[in-house]
Amino acid sequence: MLSANARREEIYHLAVTTGLASVEELSARFEVTASTIRRDLALLNSQGRLARTYGGAMALGAHPEASLRQRTGEAFEQKHAIARWAAAVIVPGESILLDAGSTVGALAHELQKFEKLSVTTPGLNIMQELADSDRIEVDCIGGRLRSVSQSFVGPLAEAALERMSFDRVFLGADAVTADDGICEADHAQTRLKELMARRGNHVYVLADSTKLGLRPFHAWARLALPWTLVTDDGAEPEQVRKFVDAGIKVELAEVAKTAATGPAADQDHRQGNNPSARPYSVE
């Protein structure tokens, strides 16, 4: 049985040589629990040696940025639970800003049931989700297209946002920390996210629990308080507490609970209620 330090060095070596390591494979290889491996990966990530992924870790630089298509299939249930929570706080008739990304894309899918809404977005996936809805007004922010994220960034997008304001802003993230905010692969993305946040009355960051506390890249969007982190109920309590202690409101979307349907669910949406989520509180 290897010592903890020796095991972590071996995990790092495997990730560097193979590019990717999964929790299940590492747990079986070292004959320790998955929880132990997750703690090892979290420590290696905090040391800047590995980048966490859904279900494992990768060597920094091995896969610099996953495409939108790749990310859409990761943490699928968690992302859709978060999307249901976010949709439930929106009031029909509001003007909202949707960032690009897979989790915000899941929110756009939820919005198709709305009768009246004004949506602005730089994301091609958001536009595609809402393109067939004649009840939702969609404004597209142009600019330079980042093919990997399928979204527009740059001076043209920023100039357009300067002339707009929104009731609610929903941001995606490659990762998010309590002290530095949103982590992204590209500085143009972080500049745009900071501007988005400044243009909204209510700001939400939608990030599943695998993204909390990670630092896979070196571009950051710093968000002024107040803002709300919406994550899933699989988030580790110590990670959530860091956000709460920093003055950030945290909402946990319940993954296991099936979304309500029928007239009762419609009433919940009209009144802004969400039976499938709960706020995090410090005891």
Side-chain angles (χ1 to χ4, degrees):
M1 181 71 70
L2 294 175
S3 68
N5 285 336
R7 183 179 64 247
R8 289 165 190 151
E9 288 302 316
E10 184 65 16
I11 290 172
Y12 173 73
H13 175 73
L14 286 170
V16 169
T17 56
T18 66
L20 188 67
S22 74
V23 170
E24 291 77 12
E25 292 171 347
L26 295 173
S27 176
R29 182 185 182 94
F30 295 106
E31 299 181 342
V32 296
T33 66
S35 296
T36 297
I37 294 298
R38 291 190 184 96
R39 287 193 292 271
D40 289 341
L41 297 179
L43 179 61
L44 290 167
N45 174 259
S46 68
Q47 294 172 344
R49 304 180 69 189
L50 294 181
R52 288 286 296 276
T53 67
Y54 180 66
M58 64 183 180
L60 288 171
H63 302 278
E65 183 180 7
S67 69
L68 177 62
R69 184 183 298 274
Q70 290 171 315
R71 287 182 280 121
T72 298
E74 297 177 344
F76 183 86
E77 294 299 331
Q78 291 87 341
K79 290 176 180 179
H80 282 266
I82 292 168
R84 290 192 295 270
W85 185 96
V89 302
I90 297 171
V91 177
E94 285 187 328
S95 176
I96 67 172
L97 174 61
L98 298 185
D99 194 4
S102 56
T103 309
V104 184
L107 170 57
H109 182 76
E110 291 289 325
L111 297 184
Q112 293 179 10
K113 66 189 70 173
F114 275 71
E115 291 296 329
K116 183 180 180 182
L117 206 62
S118 175
V119 175
T120 300
T121 183
L124 291 182
N125 62 323
I126 310 299
M127 300 174 200
Q128 291 168 349
E129 282 284 355
L130 301 177
D132 293 330
S133 177
D134 57 3
R135 301 182 303 275
I136 299 178
E137 177 184 294
V138 180
D139 288 318
C140 307
I141 299 174
R144 175 176 59 85
L145 178 64
R146 293 191 74 245
S147 59
V148 67
S149 62
Q150 293 291 286
S151 63
F152 293 102
V153 296
L156 292 178
E158 295 167 14
L161 280 175
E162 290 284 6
R163 296 176 176 271
M164 302 177 179
S165 63
F166 306 93
D167 296 302
R168 301 179 196 275
V169 172
F170 296 92
L171 301 176
D174 284 341
V176 59
T177 71
D179 48 356
D180 285 326
I182 296 175
C183 182
E184 293 288 342
D186 183 75
H187 289 287
Q189 288 178 291
T190 56
R191 286 196 302 270
L192 192 63
K193 288 179 191 290
E194 288 180 347
L195 179 55
M196 287 177 174
R198 292 200 297 269
R199 307 308 296 169
N201 294 332
H202 303 280
V203 178
Y204 307 85
V205 176
L206 310 185
D208 68 78
S209 57
T210 66
K211 298 178 178 179
L212 305 187
L214 305 189
R215 299 170 176 274
F217 305 113
H218 298 288
W220 294 88
R222 302 295 297 270
L223 306 183
L225 293 174
W227 59 275
T228 300
L229 169 66
V230 187
T231 189
D232 60 84
D233 58 1
E236 296 179 0
E238 58 268 30
Q239 280 292 341
V240 175
R241 186 175 292 273
K242 292 178 182 179
F243 288 92
V244 174
D245 290 345
I248 299 161
K249 185 177 181 181
V250 179
E251 297 282 356
L252 303 180
E254 297 181 16
V255 176
K257 187 166 183 176
T258 302
T261 58
D266 293 338
Q267 183 68 15
D268 284 329
H269 273 284
R270 286 194 296 270
Q271 294 180 356
N273 300 326
N274 191 344
S276 300
R278 56 187 171 86
Y280 181 85
S281 60
V282 178
E283 298 180 355

